[in-house]
Amino acid sequence: MNKIDILNRDKFVDDLLRVMENISDNKASTCFALNGAWGSGKSFVLDMFEEKLGQIQSEETSTDKYFIIRYNSWQYDYYEEPLVAIVATMISTIEEKTKLFPDCKEKREILGMLKATGVSLLSLGNTVVKEKTGMDFQKAYETVLKGKKDGAEAYEEIHEYDVYFGFNKVMGELIALLQELAEKYTVAIIVDELDRCLPEYAIKILERLHHLTENNNNTIMIIAVDKKQLMSSVKQIFGFESPEKYLEKFFNFEIKLDYGMPSEKILEKYAAYIDLFDREIFPFDDSIEECLQNIFKDIDIRTQEQIIKKVMLTHKLLYIDKKDYSFMCMELMLSVMLFIYNEDANFLEKTVDMHNLESIFTLSNGIDEPIFSAFFKEKFEQILVGSQSNFYDESLCYILLSKASLYAAIIYTWYWMHGKNKNTVIDHTKGDSYEVISQNYKELKKFVETINMMR
């Protein structure tokens, strides 16, 4: 897996694996929800989880312990009947898992059964969209009927194959096959992208999977959901006042996935954007990772990516030469205020009161503040201690200390981007390390004007 884990999900995945192992060791069966809001990274977590789960070996057989079925429910949502997609997923899994299923009679028998079942399902009223799936069930059907080899032949002779046998019989055959697999492996069914399906189809998927697995042993199903959205769908479809009660039929328990906290790998993930800046223009000792982590705190990964994309586009349109790292942090802070907190671009007309750092990031509504406010206030307080100067022009002047600081550069730029304040002034000594960033505020005003048009 080449994706970068910037939210430190590794520990969460390890905890999830321990849950799986404990259930598997008891040959128990369950279904639980991985509950996370849109953009919390459920698919990413499941990718990591599946990769690690596939590496676990059975102590008894020294082979893979888990038979993993990864079902992307949205990928095949054009099938009227979800079981068709589930069968297609199982066929692909068995054909790909050469270590679990070498080319042998057992493999051909299972594939024969699955393909025959798939044809039956389609014949009960579903249409194959061959161009989208690349899977020709009619060809599979002909192979099963005409091939007469090994497992396929044995399957047809025993079960008196009939393309029109009923839906309940199809369900029974699939349940039996899953139970047969569960005698050798822990069957792990990983269901993803349910949130992207139409509400009625998502409920149908849950119903089908529940009937397939409810009485089987050694079968564990993990379904990634946005529970709040799912409950809304249930209420919309059935009119239930307590949709959570209905979902208890499917989920024995849930594991909550929050938005996480960006890690130091944030520089690696957004390297293309960060390469537009040069740290040596204004060198400092502060951790740039810590600053970016707090700017993006509690913002889901998809929204982060969308913000970076817009910021990067705006930056390239406006600037040719590289900027310093404090400029980068200001771009991101301003963009978060615009896109996440819906701040009006006119907020720059307000003045900044250095006497009252508690309100330095208060939004235009006069009440709310960005999540990152507390972090930056603490940093600003440390900078302003010792930088206070005497009164001139009836204003209290803060002169920045000579040693370069990322947060001193940020508060300086933030102050000068806003309207003038008669009570306080923040400044630096001419020719010191801050000289190079002293005009950033002018360029950043252009940035706000431009990126605000992308909202």
Side-chain angles (χ1 to χ4, degrees):
M1 189 175 71
N2 296 321
K3 294 180 180 179
I4 301 168
D5 177 20
I6 74 161
L7 298 178
N8 285 322
R9 295 301 197 191
D10 204 57
K11 181 182 182 303
F12 180 91
V13 171
D14 287 342
D15 291 342
L16 201 57
L17 284 170
R18 278 191 284 275
V19 171
M20 288 289 289
E21 284 284 79
N22 290 337
I23 298 170
S24 174
D25 288 346
N26 290 324
K27 303 294 183 183
S29 293
T30 192
C31 175
F32 65 93
L34 178 64
N35 179 22
W38 182 90
S40 58
K42 297 188 291 292
S43 295
F44 182 84
V45 165
L46 290 181
D47 287 343
M48 291 180 67
F49 175 71
E50 181 183 4
E51 183 177 354
K52 290 191 174 188
L53 195 67
Q55 295 169 0
I56 297 175
Q57 300 289 299
S58 168
E59 294 181 1
E60 299 173 3
T61 63
S62 298
T63 59
D64 288 358
K65 183 176 181 179
Y66 293 91
F67 177 76
I68 304 169
I69 301 170
R70 179 71 178 268
Y71 173 38
N72 184 324
S73 49
W74 181 70
Q75 185 178 1
Y76 299 109
D77 73 341
Y78 41 79
Y79 285 122
E80 183 180 348
E81 175 49 60
L83 277 180
V84 176
I86 295 169
V87 169
T89 302
M90 292 178 68
I91 290 173
S92 298
T93 301
I94 291 171
E95 288 182 337
E96 291 170 6
K97 301 286 185 182
T98 54
K99 189 162 67 170
L100 279 178
F101 295 97
D103 190 17
C104 63
K105 183 177 180 180
E106 179 189 22
K107 176 178 179 178
R108 288 192 291 275
E109 184 178 74
I110 292 172
L111 284 175
M113 183 269 174
L114 282 170
K115 289 179 180 180
T117 304
V119 176
S120 301
L121 286 166
L122 292 169
S123 300
L124 288 169
N126 295 281
T127 303
V128 178
V129 186
K130 183 178 177 183
E131 292 78 8
K132 292 186 179 181
T133 64
M135 180 174 290
D136 188 346
F137 268 106
Q138 183 59 34
K139 186 177 179 181
Y141 166 58
E142 292 169 359
T143 299
V144 173
L145 287 184
K146 298 177 182 178
K148 300 296 180 181
K149 292 182 180 179
D150 296 331
E153 180 180 15
Y155 175 82
E156 291 172 22
E157 290 175 354
I158 294 170
H159 296 275
E160 297 179 349
Y161 175 76
D162 177 358
V163 74
Y164 293 107
F165 69 80
F167 183 80
N168 288 336
K169 187 172 181 181
V170 173
M171 286 288 290
E173 296 289 353
L174 282 174
I175 291 169
L177 174 60
L178 284 172
Q179 189 55 60
E180 184 179 338
L181 290 169
E183 291 175 4
K184 296 182 179 180
Y185 315 96
T186 295
V187 176
I189 303 174
I190 302 172
V191 183
D192 195 13
E193 302 289 8
L194 195 70
D195 300 343
R196 301 176 72 178
C197 297
L198 293 173
E200 292 82 358
Y201 192 75
I203 298 302
K204 187 184 282 189
I205 289 170
L206 291 177
E207 292 280 2
R208 295 291 185 267
L209 290 170
H210 176 67
H211 291 310
L212 272 178
T213 60
E214 64 175 325
N215 294 317
N216 281 13
N217 297 319
N218 202 25
T219 302
I220 306 172
M221 187 154 54
I222 173 171
I223 303 179
V225 297
D226 179 343
K227 191 174 178 182
K228 185 177 179 181
Q229 177 185 316
L230 189 58
M231 286 195 297
S232 176
S233 296
V234 170
K235 190 171 184 177
Q236 174 189 330
I237 295 168
F238 300 111
F240 295 153
E241 286 301 318
S242 302
E244 195 162 8
K245 282 287 182 185
Y246 174 77
L247 293 179
E248 287 176 2
K249 177 173 76 170
F250 306 116
F251 305 122
N252 298 116
F253 62 94
E254 69 175 71
I255 293 177
K256 179 72 175 176
L257 181 69
D258 60 23
Y259 285 127
M261 180 69 175
S263 71
E264 65 278 357
K265 291 182 181 178
I266 194 169
L267 296 185
E268 185 180 352
K269 179 171 178 63
Y270 301 130
Y273 169 65
I274 292 170
D275 284 347
L276 300 174
F277 303 87
D278 184 353
R279 183 164 190 157
E280 297 309 311
I281 293 175
F282 176 69
F284 50 79
D285 294 334
D286 304 285
S287 166
I288 189 66
E289 293 92 342
E290 182 185 33
C291 184
L292 298 183
Q293 286 168 4
N294 280 277
I295 290 173
F296 282 129
K297 185 177 180 181
D298 288 352
I299 299 176
D300 66 83
I301 197 72
R302 291 184 187 175
T303 304
Q304 287 182 35
E305 291 169 350
Q306 290 169 0
I307 290 174
I308 289 288
K309 186 177 180 180
K310 291 176 181 178
V311 171
M312 193 170 177
L313 174 60
T314 306
H315 186 99
K316 287 182 175 180
L317 287 172
L318 293 177
Y319 314 118
I320 297 173
D321 297 331
K322 288 195 172 187
K323 301 292 185 182
D324 69 281
Y325 270 23
S326 76
F327 196 100
M328 172 180 69
C329 293
M330 286 297 303
E331 280 190 346
L332 295 175
M333 287 173 63
L334 291 164
S335 300
V336 166
M337 294 189 74
L338 291 172
F339 291 110
I340 302 300
Y341 297 100
N342 253 348
E343 183 66 307
D344 191 309
N346 295 326
F347 75 92
L348 295 179
E349 296 176 3
K350 297 189 306 179
T351 60
V352 175
D353 184 0
M354 301 304 296
H355 290 305
N356 184 18
L357 292 178
E358 289 299 316
S359 64
I360 195 168
F361 290 114
T362 301
L363 302 178
S364 296
N365 62 17
I367 303 172
D368 299 323
E369 293 182 337
I371 294 293
F372 59 65
S373 295
F375 170 80
F376 281 98
K377 285 175 189 174
E378 182 179 342
K379 295 292 184 181
F380 294 161
E381 286 171 354
Q382 294 170 5
I383 290 161
L384 297 180
V385 172
S387 62
Q388 184 173 314
S389 185
N390 58 349
F391 287 86
Y392 69 89
D393 294 335
E394 299 182 353
S395 296
L396 180 59
C397 181
Y398 291 92
I399 303 295
L400 298 179
L401 300 178
S402 58
K403 185 180 179 181
S405 161
L406 169 62
Y407 300 100
I410 289 174
I411 195 171
Y412 176 90
T413 305
W414 184 258
Y415 173 85
W416 285 99
M417 284 188 74
H418 286 72
K420 297 298 178 289
N421 189 314
K422 295 186 296 183
N423 299 320
T424 56
V425 176
I426 185 167
D427 213 337
H428 68 99
T429 304
K430 189 173 182 180
D432 66 7
S433 56
Y434 295 97
E435 189 74 37
V436 70
I437 61 96
S438 62
Q439 301 302 305
N440 278 359
Y441 70 94
K442 297 178 181 178
E443 296 294 328
L444 283 163
K445 283 187 175 182
K446 297 178 186 176
F447 173 83
V448 171
E449 290 170 357
T450 306
I451 199 168
N452 187 55
M453 301 292 290
M454 298 185 186
R455 290 208 282 179

